[in-house]
Amino acid sequence: MSMNNASNVFLDPNANRFQVNIINEDHDNNETTQEDVGSDPPHYEETSFTDETHNRLRISYRPGKRELYDNFRQNGEKTEASLHPYDTHSKMYYLQTFGHNTMDPVPKIDYYRNTGSVSGNKLNRPSLLEIHEQLAKNIAVSTGSVERVANGESTTGDETAASKEEENKTGFVKFGWVKGVLVRCMLNIWGVMLFIRLSWIVGQAGIGLGIIVIALSVVVTTLTGISMSAICTNGVVRGGGAYYLISRSLGPEFGGSIGLIFAFANAVAVAMYVVGFAETVVELLKESDTLMVDESNDIRIIGTITVVCLLGISVAGMEWEAKAQVILLIVLLIAIANFFIGTVIPTNTEKKARGFFNYQASIFAENFGPDFRSGEGFFSVFAIFFPAATGILAGANISGDLKDPQSAIPQGTMLAILITTIAYIAVAICAASCVVRDATGNVNDTIVPGMSCNGSSACGLGYDFSRCASQPCDYGLMNNFQVMSMVSGFGPLITAGIFSATLSSALASLVSAPKVFQALCKDNVYKGLEFFAKGYGKNNEPIRGYVLTFVIAMAFILIAELNTIAPIISNFFLASYALINFSCFHASYAKSPGWRPAFRYYNMWVSLFGALLCCGVMFVINWWAALITYAIELFLYIYVTYKKPEVNWGSSTQALYFVNALDSALALTTVEDHVKNFRPQCLALTGAPMVRPALLDITHTFTKNNGLCICCEVYTGPRKLCVKEMNSGMEKKQAWLTKNKRKAFYAAVAADSFRDGVKSLLQASGLGRMKPNTLVVGFKKDWRSAPATQVENYVGIIHDAFDFELGVIIVRISQGFDISQVLQVQEELEKLEQERLALEATIKENDFEEGKRGICGFFKKASTLNISKHETKKESTINTMQSMHVGEFNQRLLEASTQFKKKQGKGTIDIWWLFDDGGLTILIPYILTIRKKWKNCKLRIFTGGKVNRIEEEKLVMASLLSKFRIKFADINIICDINIKPNKESWKFFEEMIEPYRLHESCKDITTAEKLKRETPWKITDAELEAFKEKSYRQVRLNELLQEHSRAANLIVLSLPVARKGAVSDYLYMAWLEILSKNLPPILMVRGNHKNVLTFYS
């Protein structure tokens, strides 16, 4: 069988660099195949790097095959070359990449998308199993899905078309970096401060320190912008702005806490900006004596009307909001240009009297140094100016509405910071070079010949403002907040600029708050806020969020003291900046391979400095507001941490957990083991942890917060099925441990046999010094009915544990550990209950529909209801009977499975320390008594001794325990361990082992040898005789246990060791059975004979 060269070769239109050939393998026409091979050797298409227009569709075909392809392309019908990639019965087609027959797809971005991605459909590449295993048969693929099969996509064509249709239908409005980021940031940064307070700041601080004030503010915003740029370029950015950046970097705890206060801060900021606008309007009304009521109520009225108008613009959609922002920016730019033009227009007498003299070197020199007054200082002036530099998150806050947030946010934000900084510095220098600090405004305050002057720059320019030193003046940089209006070429334009600055900032905040809040609600970080996650319209507008923001803004406009709340809001924004800087530092510090920002101009230590600087500025602005901010953030952080939202965003916090754990594990390898630091580190063979909860509970009792606990499961059977089942259950079983607050790990292996799997776990489990030193297993209760191989495996793992120098603990409870049958019945009952509820819901829906059809429907409905009630009652009765039956049958098993979860009442833990194993037999019960559930239990010690030395033996044991600092209630010396058991007990033991005895002494040598070969696991007469004394001891010990410890809460007993090759598996199991039969919960313990206790300090 030979392979033809591709009869049809298709190139994916979306992947212009590579070709995917379809190769026809013909089973029927061998002659043709051979001729083809002989006449034309196989030709494989090479990787194509030619022009895109030539690569859209490239077809390779043999002579005589063109008609076949044309027919396929025109009609789309199945032909000889119809596409069935794996059909081995007729034609076989493979996918060819780089000239090789393989299912391997070429790299493609669609394989890396998240499910539900709005920027494209997620494709699924072939799994490793599909590529690694033998080629599947009889898998037909439609002709329309060839390219998807070639690329490993599982989505059908209909689904893809529906997805694209939905995308075209919605028609998202997306903004570029200029309209979406640059314009918004510039408008938000240029606030009222530019027109009203900047002249006062430069008057107080002077040109030199004024520039430093501006520069220091810009350093904070620039460092934050750099950190934000790094975060934004480290992956696709969705909607949510600062919240999204922080939550995806630091996790939901930090993101959830800052997201809520950031959204609230933006909502209150709307009120602040609107009140600033209303105050300016009221000032104009006051000048023209046209107040409506009074100043306070007029501010409320105008503020309310303004917020309603802004809400209307926002609800109309992002397109209208963006157009409004552009118009406001144009007005603002004209106002700023108007100021600069005004500085070169020759001044007049009135303006000179108010301190404006155009550009003068003497004024520049006089105003260069500081002149702090009224208790002001550098930091107080800085605190007043800094809010003017904020607003850099205006573009990031609408990240979900940007075409390419990764490039738009860094580009637009950094350019906005640069432009606005230049504008602030230019306005400050120009104002301080033209206007003196103090002026009277009186045109008659000119210098006449013979008058003495104070030597100020105004004196040199012909004006005497010296009386401003002794009495307040109304003009000049220090006294007049309307300096820019006075200097400008046309004063009303400055008022228009103030309107533009306030309204644009209010509009940006009104849009930002709902967008951030919607993203927060979508993530469901705070339960109960899902109501605000719903979006409307083509841009998924958060209408409900807009309404909430409107309500908050209105509340603060009508009732709040904005002067008090303003510092807190500024600190909320600064807290966001601090966390953005810290996010960048933290992601870099965690050294996660996933941290690969395209923006390279950042440094982790610079980001940390930026975070600390933001925290410092918070206290500079207002120390009590900073404390309130930290308190609120800490409260929200604790709340989110406690609630533990079920999200996984691959945060740097997760990465740092790994790094810290790895560093700690590596550091632990350098620490020498010491007996004082010994702790039980247990490998518990629980299987699935929920199947044997009691075994896990008792193990967890002495490992919780003290040692390592690994719940292990071994899968046996066909490798493929085992691995699939094992991998699918890993996360579920570890999640069960976490949910049930069990501090344990889950580990599973696939092996040919149970013993081989346990061997692997014994050798490979753990990490560095955190390796198991004790094997915990449940007693094999069904050993008498189980196959011989299972018994051999069970005893074999005990031998293996001793070979690998691990201690062994065998736990036995009366009802056994396995509750898988109960879990199965419960699962079936739950399914039945779900089906019943679904049936009832369907009946109710049908009844409702029928009830709409009038009186006939009413009677029909009544009869249906009657029938359904009888059916429901019948089903309920059946379920109740089943539940009662299952409950009665498994009640004891269920109680036994939870017995170690309950608090143990007053009683004893009886320790039968018969053999010195290094101290593990005494250490385990001691650890139990320091646990809350077992603290009421006292330790009773039982050990062997001689009749004539009972008191001496007691004193020796008491001395030993006191040196070990282990408290005990009583010590009992057992002197009759080695006497023969009573006849009834021994008879029971003999009857128990009878089915497993060989009885070779009763048979001839040939028959005996044959039986030994056929049943090597049976107990020989020689073996039984050799270990008769040891068998007596186990039976006798059970009698003593029944006599002394029948009422104990727990028994801890030295585990007998079977010598390898000498004691058969069934004899050893018979020892364990008779030793632990009809007793309270018992732990048979044997350490590895290395010290785990010491009396040295």
Side-chain angles (χ1 to χ4, degrees), residues 779-784 810-815 984-993 1033-1047 1051 1053 1056 1068-1084:
F779 179 71
K780 189 169 180 61
K781 195 178 178 183
D782 64 342
W783 66 274
R784 283 185 276 183
I810 300 177
V811 188
R812 182 174 186 179
I813 58 176
S814 58
Q815 298 298 320
E984 291 78 10
S985 300
W986 181 248
K987 184 180 179 183
F988 177 83
F989 179 77
E990 286 185 322
E991 289 174 353
M992 181 172 59
I993 63 174
R1033 186 190 306 151
Q1034 312 312 323
V1035 179
R1036 175 60 183 157
L1037 273 174
N1038 183 261
E1039 291 177 351
L1040 293 170
L1041 287 164
Q1042 297 283 352
E1043 180 183 345
H1044 296 283
S1045 299
R1046 190 64 187 266
I1051 299 172
L1053 172 70
Y1068 186 61
M1069 289 303 299
W1071 288 353
L1072 298 182
E1073 172 72 35
I1074 196 66
L1075 191 61
S1076 57
K1077 188 173 180 61
N1078 297 328
L1079 290 170
I1082 184 169
L1083 272 61
M1084 292 176 277

Side-chain angles (χ1 to χ4, degrees), residues 593-657:
W595 173 249
R596 303 184 301 275
F599 184 84
R600 297 294 180 186
Y601 307 103
Y602 74 96
N603 180 275
M604 59 184 287
W605 301 111
V606 172
S607 295
L608 179 61
F609 172 73
L612 296 174
L613 192 61
C614 289
C615 294
V617 170
M618 290 173 69
F619 282 96
V620 167
I621 290 177
N622 193 302
W623 66 268
W624 59 263
L627 291 176
I628 291 174
T629 303
Y630 285 130
I632 294 172
E633 190 173 337
L634 181 63
F635 170 77
L636 293 174
Y637 178 89
I638 293 171
Y639 174 81
V640 177
T641 304
Y642 176 75
K643 289 297 182 181
K644 291 181 181 177
E646 295 179 1
V647 294
N648 182 14
W649 295 325
S651 66
S652 59
T653 305
Q654 294 171 315
L656 197 60
Y657 283 158

Side-chain angles (χ1 to χ4, degrees), residues 19 69 177 280 319 327 380 384 394 401 409 482 526 573 612 717 908-909 963 1005:
Q19 289 177 277
Y69 168 75
W177 70 274
T280 308
E319 285 180 290
I327 294 169
S380 63
I384 291 170
D401 298 295
I409 292 175
Q482 302 296 329
Y526 296 99
F573 287 122
L612 296 174
T908 63
I909 298 176
K963 285 186 177 181
I1005 297 175

